[in-house]
Amino acid sequence: MSAKKERERRREERQQRESEKAEDARRQRLIKLGSAAAFLAIVAVAVAVVISQSQTSGGDTNLEHVAEVETGLANIPQHRLTLGRPTAKVTLVEFGDLQCPICRDFAVKVLPELIENKIRTGEARLEFRNFPILGPESVTAAPAAVAAGEQGRGWNFIELFYRNQGIENTGYVTEEFMTSIAKGAKVADVPRWNHEREGAPAEAEVKRTKHEAERLGFGGTPSFAVEGPGTKGLEPLGTLGSLGEFEEAIEGAA
Amino acid sequence: MSKPSEGTVRAVSTFVAAFGIGVATYIAIAESGGGAPACLAGGGGCETVAESQYSDLAGINVAVIGIVGYVLLLVTALLRGDGARMGGFALSLAGFGFSVYLTYLELFVIEAVCQWCVISAILMTVLFGLNAFRMLRYAGRAP
């Protein structure tokens, strides 16, 4: 092999080594960039999750929507957990769980208009029956609504609870939280409410309505039933969604 | 079996992202009037999901965020080079992660499943797979 050919061979080898080195450096740089991109993506998702959770945090004693609840229910008669005139022909029953976020959405998005259109007008009454199925904190909350109902402030309590609801079973249903709801709902005699919510009658009432919901075949909340001259007793409606569906059910039962 | 060329991966990603835009647009339009997408198998799951407090993120409908995500993924599928490979990977990873979170919410918090959201989650998973493959296999190579 001539010296010239040997030099050429060495040069080619060197070039190849350099090219491999460059390729390696490029890949290293891309792996770093890729890791940075992945990190950014993970951070973006974490931020989205935090925002999503924070807008539903609730569950503290700085109550929100106190005035809104007060105005929404103003001048509508309440007896225990029934809202509306006793003379109304139709009774719409909500089997609800105070911890349930879908019940809250119903209370916020559908109920205000339903109250104005059908309850305030005297066409129907709305009765809340506890169906605590989401865990221990639901069981704690339910008799508190019954006890507030004994002082004519049941619906204020329910509506205010829904609007200040926290994330299920995260320990937010404390004595302090419930007392703040009771005060916000203007339960006049808080010591009496406190005593009654822990008493046997309220507990028995919750048990009764829970069994009733199960007997009607309900498995989730909120579930609805209706009773009126046009129905054969209390007829289960199941889960309804829109205002129109509720109005139709009430009109059908009248 | 030979591995698919980058062109094929980009073509499939383009198609999947375009389909995703369609699905997210349908959900956004259906929800914009306060309604919900029609459930393919009935049951009212979509209505429950659409009415839940989780259907908005910082005041923006989640479906609208989905449209933006799919449009950006479509753009990265159409473009060549490392920037597009990297961007597609990061975006699809974020989209995939967010879909996992939304699916968790559906199953364990809202306790209702909307088929349209499931379709979107599947599309996002496929896009993540395609973009990860594109990144790992072709990053650093000539476009």
Side-chain angles (χ1 to χ4, degrees), chain A residues 122-173:
Chain A
E123 262 180 84
R125 281 176 301 184
L126 179 60
E127 190 180 336
F128 183 86
R129 294 187 192 171
N130 281 292
F131 186 23
I133 51 171
L134 294 176
E137 294 188 45
S138 302
V139 177
T140 311
V146 175
E150 292 300 314
Q151 298 186 42
R153 305 299 289 178
W155 269 94
N156 299 69
F157 186 92
I158 292 162
E159 290 276 274
L160 205 53
F161 195 113
Y162 278 147
R163 282 165 176 76
N164 289 277
Q165 199 181 58
I167 296 166
E168 289 160 38
N169 299 320
T170 48
Y172 76 96
V173 186

Side-chain angles (χ1 to χ4, degrees), chain A residues 26 30 52-53 55 105 109, chain B residues 51-52 56 94 101 110 140:
Chain A
R26 197 169 150 76
L30 282 166
S52 165
Q53 288 295 328
Q55 65 194 17
D105 288 333
K109 295 180 180 170
Chain B
E51 282 175 6
S52 89
D56 285 354
Y101 171 64
I110 307 170

Side-chain angles (χ1 to χ4, degrees), chain B residues 59-74:
Chain B
I60 305 166
N61 190 299
V62 168
V64 174
I65 297 172
I67 296 174
V68 174
Y70 283 119
V71 168
L72 292 174
L73 280 164
L74 182 79

Side-chain angles (χ1 to χ4, degrees), chain A residues 203-224:
Chain A
E203 193 188 328
E205 173 62 12
V206 172
K207 261 191 190 156
R208 186 186 70 77
T209 53
K210 186 168 185 272
H211 286 154
E212 186 183 23
E214 285 161 353
R215 209 173 47 243
L216 287 167
F218 296 145
T221 51
S223 290
F224 296 90

